[in-house]
């Protein structure tokens, strides 16, 4: 085989591979992510107000509680509800701060834990205690560093329950701030939500986020709580939902008034450590979910390198045509979903942030095989 023939063969191979990866991306965008982009909630005949127990676990979170707890306590909700804050062995002023809140807000329940649970790292132990102390069947979970986006958060989240529904997935956003890191964190959070909310709408729920998550107490008890994942630092949100959620018992809430807001990490180092912990639980997902998520991630990881190679070795007009088809499809889905999730200001950056995801996977892919850190913050 002469050099020209070899060159032609490599050109064809690169074009075929790029076409295959692009086709996979299009399948995900139009087959799965479009469900979130074009989702329209069904109008309910009547609203409802179930009794709700809101649970927050806190460890050395006095500053965050001082800022965010009023947003949870001042919810406009006419029915029975309670707020349980589990103070897990805090060494700061968390206990005293909560006692001051208790003087004004009688519906605040404080659970002080002053010891660690042997062999149960992370926040699964304090969260289990909080659930045990809850008076109501519907549980609504958030974190100490989160504040509801509106005074109707509690109402909007519980109103999603109907016969058969046991899990309600919400969106936990990050506050918009200037700077590159803030945009990267918010885009990664949005990109994660694009996946787990779309999969849930497609009938394959696989995770939720503890910043904004609701499920029934009976579901927790019937599945023996976190017993199967107690040895892991993380997983109190994603792995538990991965275990108990299915097509028939899960729904999502996309109302902006039902979002929660958190302050993003201020340094790349802190963010990297946080994401390493999150991704270390991925290897425990169900096989079907690992295949679907892995195929999407691999196709995105290969997309831009194959695009460059195909542009150099194959007919650039065909390559650009395929690139344009994927670009337009992605732009439509990104615009619609960013609009739904309140991240519309990121749309002008999405194509650069999409390229960034290649580097993102390079950085965080090894975390899947790393031993998880034992902390839970």
């Amino acid at each position: 085989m002469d050099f020209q023939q070899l060159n032609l063969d490599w050109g064809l191979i690169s074009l075929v591979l790029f076409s295959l990866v692009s086709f996979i991306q299009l399948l995900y965008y139009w087959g799965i992510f479009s469900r979130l982009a074009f989702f329209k909630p069904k109008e309910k005949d009547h609203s409802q107000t179930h009794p709700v127990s809101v649970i927050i676990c806190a460890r050395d979170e006095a500053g965050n509680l001082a800022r965010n707890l009023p947003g949870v306590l001042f919810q406009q909700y006419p029915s029975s509800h309670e707020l349980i804050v589990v103070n897990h062995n805090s060494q700061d002023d968390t206990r005293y701060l909560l006692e001051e809140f208790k003087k004004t807000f009688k519906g605040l329940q404080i659970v002080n834990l002053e010891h660690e649970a042997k062999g149960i790292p992370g926040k699964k132990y304090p969260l289990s205690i909080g659930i045990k102390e809850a008076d109501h069947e519907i549980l609504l979970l958030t974190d100490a560093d989160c504040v509801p986006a509106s005074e109707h958060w509690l109402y909007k989240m519980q109103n999603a329950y109907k016969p058969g529904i046991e899990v309600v997935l919400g969106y936990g956003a990050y506050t918009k701030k200037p700077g590159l890191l803030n945009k990267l964190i918010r885009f990664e959070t949005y990109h994660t939500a694009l996946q787990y909310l779309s999969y849930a709408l497609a009938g394959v729920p696989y995770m939720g986020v503890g910043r904004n998550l609701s499920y029934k107490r009976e579901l927790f008890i019937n599945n023996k709580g976190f017993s199967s994942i107690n040895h892991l630092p993380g997983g109190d949100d994603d792995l538990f939902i991965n275990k108990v959620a299915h097509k028939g018992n899960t729904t999502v809430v996309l109302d902006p008034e039902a979002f929660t807001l958190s302050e993003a990490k201020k340094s790349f180092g802190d963010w990297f450590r946080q994401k390493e912990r999150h991704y270390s639980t991925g290897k425990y997902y169900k096989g079907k979910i690992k295949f679907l998520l892995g195929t999407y991630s691999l196709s995105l990881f290969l997309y831009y390198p194959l695009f460059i190679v195909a542009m150099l070795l194959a007919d650039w007009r065909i390559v650009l045509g395929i690139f344009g088809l994927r670009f337009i499809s992605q732009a439509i889905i990104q615009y619609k979903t960013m609009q739904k999730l309140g991240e519309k200001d990121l749309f002008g950056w999405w194509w650069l942030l999409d390229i960034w995801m290649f580097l993102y996977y390079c950085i965080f892919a090894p975390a899947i095989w790393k031993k998880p850190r034992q902390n839970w913050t």
Side-chain angles (χ1 to χ4, degrees):
M1 182 181 294
D2 60 27
F3 179 79
Q4 285 186 335
Q5 183 64 37
L6 182 63
N7 217 24
L8 178 65
D9 290 342
W10 280 114
L12 179 61
I13 290 170
S14 66
L15 180 59
V16 169
L17 289 176
F18 178 65
S19 300
L20 177 61
V21 167
S22 300
F23 177 69
I24 292 171
Q25 284 275 292
L26 288 171
L27 280 179
Y28 276 88
Y29 269 90
W30 287 112
I32 298 177
F33 303 152
S34 64
R35 296 171 185 267
L36 176 59
F38 300 104
F39 174 72
K40 291 184 179 180
K42 295 179 181 177
E43 291 188 12
K44 300 187 74 168
D45 296 332
H46 61 280
S47 61
Q48 55 198 0
T49 50
H50 301 101
V52 180
S53 294
V54 180
I55 303 175
I56 296 174
C57 296
R59 183 167 189 159
D60 297 330
E61 297 275 13
N64 282 326
L65 289 170
R67 284 188 296 271
N68 300 323
L69 207 55
V72 182
L73 290 166
F74 282 109
Q75 288 293 297
Q76 295 295 312
Y77 194 64
S79 185
S80 300
H81 63 287
E82 63 179 349
L83 171 60
I84 301 171
V85 179
V86 183
N87 175 23
H88 187 206
N89 197 25
S90 295
Q91 302 302 306
D92 64 357
D93 293 331
T94 295
R95 177 193 286 264
Y96 309 108
L97 179 74
L98 291 174
E99 288 173 354
E100 287 301 311
F101 271 114
K102 177 72 173 177
K103 293 176 183 177
T104 305
F105 300 96
K106 303 307 178 186
L108 171 62
Q109 289 194 45
I110 305 167
V111 180
N112 289 306
L113 301 180
E114 298 181 353
H115 60 276
E116 304 293 335
K118 259 191 173 180
I120 310 179
K123 70 174 183 180
K124 289 185 291 296
Y125 171 63
L127 182 52
S128 298
I129 296 299
I131 292 172
K132 181 181 177 183
E133 294 294 321
D135 288 333
H136 304 310
E137 175 63 14
I138 290 180
L139 311 173
L140 180 54
L141 314 181
T142 189
D143 290 336
D145 63 348
C146 298
V147 63
S150 80
E151 60 187 8
H152 305 296
W153 165 68
L154 197 162
Y155 170 76
K156 298 282 186 177
M157 287 296 288
Q158 66 81 38
N159 196 41
Y161 281 96
K162 61 182 181 180
I165 295 299
E166 299 175 291
V167 179
V168 177
L169 307 179
Y171 180 50
Y174 283 101
T175 305
K176 299 176 177 64
K177 294 286 180 68
L180 176 62
L181 179 60
N182 182 265
K183 285 183 173 60
L184 295 180
I185 292 174
R186 286 172 51 221
F187 183 78
E188 187 277 332
T189 301
Y190 153 79
H191 189 260
T192 300
L194 171 67
Q195 294 179 81
Y196 77 79
L197 293 172
S198 295
Y199 274 84
L201 291 170
V204 194
Y206 71 91
M207 69 165 280
V209 292
R211 301 188 302 277
N212 197 5
L213 175 64
S214 180
Y215 48 80
K216 291 193 173 181
R217 190 169 182 268
E218 185 180 18
L219 180 72
F220 182 83
I221 294 171
N222 289 345
N223 285 276
K224 299 180 180 178
F226 303 124
S227 59
S228 62
I229 54 173
N230 269 338
H231 59 291
L232 302 172
D236 54 275
D237 45 15
D238 60 345
L239 289 183
F240 179 70
I241 298 302
N242 192 261
K243 175 184 176 182
V244 304
H246 56 77
K247 179 180 180 178
N249 76 342
T250 305
T251 191
V252 305
V253 176
L254 300 178
D255 191 314
E257 289 192 305
F259 297 166
T260 60
L261 297 171
S262 307
E263 291 292 325
K265 297 294 186 184
K266 300 296 191 298
S267 72
F268 280 92
D270 288 343
W271 182 48
F272 287 167
R273 283 187 288 274
Q274 181 189 52
K275 297 317 298 180
E276 277 189 343
R277 180 178 62 82
H278 290 170
Y279 279 103
S280 67
T281 61
K283 57 175 160 293
Y284 302 105
Y285 286 178
K286 294 174 183 176
K288 177 183 177 181
I289 296 300
K290 285 195 287 188
F291 173 79
L292 288 170
L293 294 177
T295 302
Y296 170 73
S297 300
L298 181 62
S299 68
L300 181 56
F301 176 76
L302 295 174
Y303 181 79
Y304 288 105
L306 285 173
F307 169 68
I308 294 170
V309 172
M311 281 290 290
L312 293 173
L313 301 181
D315 188 330
W316 62 270
R317 292 164 296 185
I318 299 175
V319 175
L320 277 184
I322 297 170
F323 180 90
L325 178 62
R326 188 255 191 184
F327 185 90
I328 293 170
S329 297
Q330 192 178 18
I332 294 170
I333 302 298
Q334 297 278 18
Y335 179 80
K336 297 288 288 184
T337 51
M338 286 180 176
Q339 192 175 39
K340 273 191 169 58
L341 297 180
E343 308 289 5
K344 198 175 174 181
D345 64 299
L346 292 176
F347 182 71
W349 298 81
W350 76 262
W351 58 279
L352 280 173
L353 293 168
D354 190 61
I355 296 172
W356 149 254
M357 290 306 293
F358 167 76
L359 296 174
Y360 178 86
Y361 284 128
C362 289
I363 295 168
F364 290 109
I368 297 174
W369 294 280
K370 279 186 179 180
K371 185 177 179 180
R373 295 174 182 267
Q374 297 301 298
N375 61 305
W376 59 286
T377 55

